Amino acid sequence: MKTWKRLISGLFALTLLASLSCAALAAEPEKTAPKPAGQFSQWFPWLGTDPAAPEASEAVLAKMGTVINQTKTVGGETVTLNGVVWEGENLLLSLVMKGKDFPADLTPGSLPATTVYTEECSLELSEEKWKEYVKKDVEQSAGEDETEAQVKEQIQKKLDMGQKLYEVYNNRLGFRLVKREGDTLTFCASMPLKNHLEKPELTLHIENLAIYEDGRGLVSWDGDQRTGPGPGKTIFKGPFDFTFTPEKRSQPLGYQGSVQATIKKIPVRITSAGVSPTQISVGYALDVKGPVNVIHRGEDPVPGATNLDIDKDLDMRLEGVWTKDGKYVTCSGFVIQGVMTTADGTSATGHWNREFPYPIDPAAVTAMDIGGTRVELAKLEPATR
């Protein structure tokens, strides 16, 4: 399997869960942007809008968006699924919920996503498509040294878990309250969904959307046990079921190769890059002769090796990108960086991940700003899937 594919499937998934997904965006301040230019920008305002060209942001979202406009009413509660955006690694859903007797203090700022109880909610494929998805997911994430038998074993293990348990550990559905107007709540739902399938039919089930009893949500895990909703904490009872098909999906662009660069006096080789409409991820290797040891916080140096402190010597990150029209776009969001030393200490590899402040056409990105050093994507080769 190609390095760039692992980068996109692994690191993109990690970053999307940590920074793009609605679950994690609750910890970040809202992105400021001009008035959205179209319906997808209005439904997904947290993805940002290019202040100089709002229509361009709408166009990028429309290329990976599907209008749903389904409304269901149960017991005096009404939920409308406006539409979805399939970023290629992550599916985002825009939902409007109308009810009554919501707590007065229930606001976007008072409800971090980690406190939203979603154990009885799900977003699932048909059984046939689920099996196809798992097979492709395992095959595309398998290491180059894994045998066919090992890959088949991994596929069977995931299938044996069943779709619901697989969701808990891999594709967790999260909800985030993004706006409240009286008794009308606007939510974003998000779940990792890689672009292994074309136009898959999905079923969204919403039932007993609530607030965790202890207010801690995911951090209150005790093995496989979690604290359920507290008394009087249910936001929406339901159940609501929506069946829909994402008609469009993003196709992230991948690059691979070996481009030498000196970043903050450290020689590195850029080995891969993945660009989606919402973020960029870059893989690299330290171009240092002899054994290398990366010192993480509090660790001791290794005698006989080149010791590099991750917070001092390797204080590098993706600062921004250039697009084909010559425009510079400053990256935003969490700074994701990881550096790993091999067991024998002979090499070290790492990655950088950053978000875009607004959706960008992946094909428009031409160069990266890494710690003040410009690296041209054209020096890398397009990667094949």
Side-chain angles (χ1 to χ4, degrees):
M1 188 198 65
K2 301 297 184 181
T3 302
W4 83 273
K5 186 59 187 177
R6 283 200 299 273
L7 184 72
I8 288 179
S9 296
L11 301 181
F12 260 48
L14 172 63
T15 309
L16 285 165
L17 285 171
S19 57
L20 170 64
S21 73
C22 302
L25 273 171
E28 292 230 17
E30 290 288 338
K31 296 176 180 177
T32 58
K35 184 177 180 179
Q39 61 184 352
F40 285 105
S41 298
Q42 292 170 18
W43 289 338
F44 301 93
W46 50 87
L47 294 179
T49 301
D50 184 352
E55 68 284 353
S57 299
E58 175 68 17
V60 174
L61 290 176
K63 286 182 179 179
M64 55 181 178
T66 301
V67 176
I68 306 299
N69 278 339
Q70 290 185 25
T71 298
K72 301 291 177 68
T73 299
V74 177
E77 301 173 337
T78 299
V79 176
T80 298
L81 174 58
N82 294 320
V84 301
V85 164
W86 192 1
E87 195 267 350
E89 295 289 323
N90 204 55
L91 187 70
L92 302 178
L93 304 89
S94 173
L95 296 138
V96 174
M97 302 183 177
K98 297 181 181 180
K100 57 183 179 179
D101 301 325
F102 295 133
D105 60 351
L106 180 59
T107 63
S110 71
L111 190 62
T114 52
T115 67
V116 179
Y117 172 83
T118 61
E119 306 313 302
E120 297 169 64
C121 303
S122 62
L123 181 61
E124 296 185 345
L125 297 158
S126 67
E127 190 65 21
E128 180 183 353
K129 288 298 181 181
W130 150 245
K131 292 178 180 179
E132 182 182 347
Y133 181 90
V134 170
K135 181 175 183 295
K136 290 186 177 180
D137 192 39
V138 173
E139 289 176 344
Q140 293 190 20
S141 61
E144 295 178 355
D145 57 344
E146 290 188 65
T147 65
E148 183 178 348
Q150 289 173 323
V151 171
K152 288 183 177 180
E153 182 181 0
Q154 287 299 315
I155 291 173
Q156 192 57 51
K157 282 184 178 180
K158 291 185 181 296
L159 290 176
D160 290 343
M161 290 173 69
Q163 191 166 180
K164 286 188 179 297
L165 188 58
Y166 182 82
E167 287 177 4
V168 170
Y169 286 101
N170 296 274
N171 285 8
R172 182 173 176 77
L173 177 65
F175 283 78
R176 176 199 172 203
L177 178 62
V178 295
K179 185 171 66 173
R180 175 177 181 175
E181 295 176 331
D183 288 336
T184 299
L185 307 178
T186 300
F187 276 87
C188 163
S190 171
M191 192 172 81
L193 184 69
K194 299 173 187 176
N195 57 354
H196 299 323
L197 306 175
E198 185 175 352
K199 298 183 180 182
E201 185 178 83
L202 293 161
T203 298
L204 172 67
H205 178 78
I206 301 173
E207 184 172 2
N208 290 330
L209 189 68
I211 303 172
Y212 277 96
E213 184 175 11
D214 57 13
R216 293 186 298 160
L218 294 182
V219 295
S220 66
W221 280 46
D222 180 13
D224 291 334
Q225 302 299 314
R226 277 167 285 185
T227 304
K233 296 289 187 177
T234 299
I235 302 172
F236 268 81
K237 184 174 179 62
F240 303 92
D241 288 289
F242 298 89
T243 299
F244 63 95
T245 299
E247 296 291 336
K248 302 176 184 177
R249 59 181 176 175
S250 165
Q251 293 289 352
L253 295 180
Y255 303 86
Q256 60 188 16
S258 181
V259 177
Q260 292 183 322
T262 299
I263 301 173
K264 293 192 175 181
K265 299 182 180 181
I266 300 294
V268 301
R269 286 180 294 105
I270 307 301
T271 57
S272 57
V275 187
S276 86
T278 57
Q279 64 182 315
I280 181 169
S281 184
V282 179
Y284 69 94
L286 296 179
D287 205 5
V288 180
K289 294 181 180 180
V292 176
N293 177 58
V294 178
I295 300 175
H296 295 267
R297 297 177 180 90
E299 294 179 341
D300 295 325
V302 173
T306 298
N307 291 280
L308 299 173
D309 191 299
I310 191 170
D311 294 317
K312 297 177 182 178
D313 305 309
L314 300 177
D315 183 22
M316 305 175 285
R317 65 181 184 181
L318 274 164
E319 302 290 352
V321 297
W322 284 272
T323 54
K324 59 185 178 182
D325 58 1
K327 184 177 180 179
Y328 180 83
V329 181
T330 302
C331 288
S332 63
F334 290 98
V335 176
I336 307 295
Q337 177 180 355
V339 185
M340 298 170 287
T341 306
T342 58
D344 59 6
T346 57
S347 64
T349 60
H351 66 268
W352 299 292
N353 298 63
R354 291 299 299 277
E355 294 177 55
F356 297 140
Y358 48 79
I360 299 174
D361 181 356
V365 179
T366 58
M368 309 169 288
D369 176 3
I370 305 175
T373 297
R374 178 169 176 142
V375 179
E376 302 289 339
L377 280 173
K379 293 184 177 180
L380 293 166
E381 295 293 329
T384 56
R385 289 181 178 274

